[in-house]
Amino acid sequence: MTTTLSIQGDRFCINGQPTYQAQGATNPAAHGLLMNGRFIQGIFDDAADPARFARFGWDRWDPERHTDELIAALPQWHRYGVLALTVGLQGGMPVFTTANDTIDNNPFSEDGTVIDGRYLGRLERLIAAADRVGMVIIVSFLYQGQAPRLRDARTIRNGVVSASRWLGEIGYRNVILEVANEQEVGNFRHRPLVNSGEGMAVLIDLAREHSGGLPVGCSGGGGTFFPETAAASDVVLIHGNGLDRAQYYAFVQKVRAVCPGVPIVCNEDSPCYSRVDVAAETGTSWGYYNNLTKQEPPADWSVSAAEDRFFAERVARAVGLPGPLSESGQARPGDGANPLAFLGFDRHVGKDGTRWLGVAALYPEWIDRVEFHQQGRHVYTAYEEPFYLYRTNTWTQRGLANPDPAHWHAVVHHAAGQTTELRP
């Protein structure tokens, strides 16, 4: 075991040194941060209908392969300064393609005292791989979409104890525990032990005790936190979904005023990676959430083109890593101009002909608006990052049935006044 995470004040250390400090002439302001990504489906499976996830180029669903491909991608992310990933024992919601209440992704037994060994095997494999690379795994225990499968408060308590005890026993110290993902959202509204600050504080104490002292926290929904939860936490976990840059900045200030001297980690936001700079300025850690490439099983775990690449590059620049290269060996994007990409026509983001179109930029904050045109006719204008066609919020959008790439183009209006035309 080679990677030990510790906390000194409001900063993280790996093997006794503030994060990023050992990686050369990096930005001192970033030392102690934990830039991260939400890869919540890293050990995903579905007992209800696994065959439906034989898609995106896979001829059959294989949860072991799915985890192994994430393991293979870890060095790519580490190269850019992404030091932590969040994965979930109960996963998350594939919001674009599959109703969550039809998925059975619950490894806990009926009474919560036993956890499916296949899930634990994949999780241990992932934690061990991250340990070798020098990365941290944030393990999220409970997800509201699977909460109806946990019959009562005692089952929840037993599940938290079982998962915490197992993580303590395997001995790795590159782990943070997230008791629940967004404690007050969705089905958690019917679980008082989870959705109240006082109840969650009890679960956090149980997790810390039974894990042998691993750091513990719990997130609320976008822009929400519970003071009682935060006060009980070793790491204050927050989500930024739905907030613009100014709102996200104000949210961080609010949390810090209540919890001074404790590390703040956003481990879910959106593809709005301009927040990386806000996080760096506030001395907090930020987490990227791309639910098309990273939450629709089977996920593409690589640093894929466009949004993933731009996010990774923004992290590298924020922490001061020396110009990482792309896997093709070409120079990094962004030396001078603002690289752009038209999204939505690659194989991984389509289902039954439906596509989700958008425009990504290395510096989305340098863009005033993006106009989408079909066969020369203007159909929609996106004014806010992420620049999605038919945007509904910062992490989802309406789909489009069978769009012909030859019929579509976008016009990017830059804040400086120039325009750029993009085609798929």
Side-chain angles (χ1 to χ4, degrees), residues 35 55 71 104 126 182 244 249 266 283 365 409:
M35 295 304 188
R55 55 183 189 173
I71 289 169
D104 184 354
L126 177 59
E182 300 189 341
D244 62 27
Y249 177 85
C266 175
E365 62 269 44
H409 76 276

Side-chain angles (χ1 to χ4, degrees), residues 22-170:
Q23 292 179 256
T26 48
N27 178 10
H31 295 171
L33 300 185
L34 202 63
M35 295 304 188
N36 63 95
R38 176 179 170 87
F39 288 23
I40 199 72
Q41 311 287 38
I43 59 171
F44 173 88
D45 201 1
D46 177 23
D49 183 13
R52 61 182 145 179
F53 295 107
R55 55 183 189 173
F56 306 154
W58 287 37
D59 57 7
R60 68 181 183 90
W61 167 246
D62 182 347
E64 305 302 323
R65 172 189 169 187
H66 198 227
T67 298
D68 287 341
E69 290 193 358
L70 173 54
I71 289 169
L74 294 180
Q76 297 179 36
W77 291 100
H78 185 269
R79 188 180 315 149
Y80 283 93
V82 177
L83 293 185
L85 304 178
T86 297
V87 301
L89 283 170
Q90 293 188 320
M93 184 187 302
V95 297
F96 287 94
T97 67
T98 312
N100 195 75
D101 60 4
T102 69
I103 296 172
D104 184 354
N105 183 32
N106 172 44
F108 295 102
S109 64
E110 186 176 358
D111 65 357
T113 60
V114 177
I115 304 175
D116 189 325
R118 293 167 296 182
Y119 280 77
L120 296 181
R122 292 193 292 273
L123 181 57
E124 183 170 7
R125 211 158 66 239
L126 177 59
I127 292 171
D131 174 75
R132 293 191 296 270
V133 174
M135 296 178 72
V136 173
I137 300 298
I138 303 171
V139 182
S140 186
F141 293 173
L142 307 175
Y143 176 61
Q144 64 85 15
Q146 296 297 315
R149 301 185 187 279
L150 304 175
R151 66 185 180 188
D152 54 24
R154 181 171 291 178
T155 302
I156 290 169
R157 180 191 182 281
N158 289 344
V160 169
V161 169
S162 299
S164 302
R165 184 176 292 150
W166 179 82
L167 285 162
E169 289 173 352
I170 64 173

Side-chain angles (χ1 to χ4, degrees), residues 233-257:
S233 299
D234 305 294
V235 178
V236 179
L237 297 173
I238 63 172
H239 289 180
N241 312 64
L243 306 181
D244 62 27
R245 297 174 78 210
Q247 290 169 329
Y248 181 74
Y249 177 85
F251 179 45
V252 169
Q253 301 308 310
K254 178 181 178 182
V255 174
R256 174 158 284 148

Side-chain angles (χ1 to χ4, degrees), residues 413-419:
H413 293 259
H414 301 271
Q418 72 271 35
T419 61

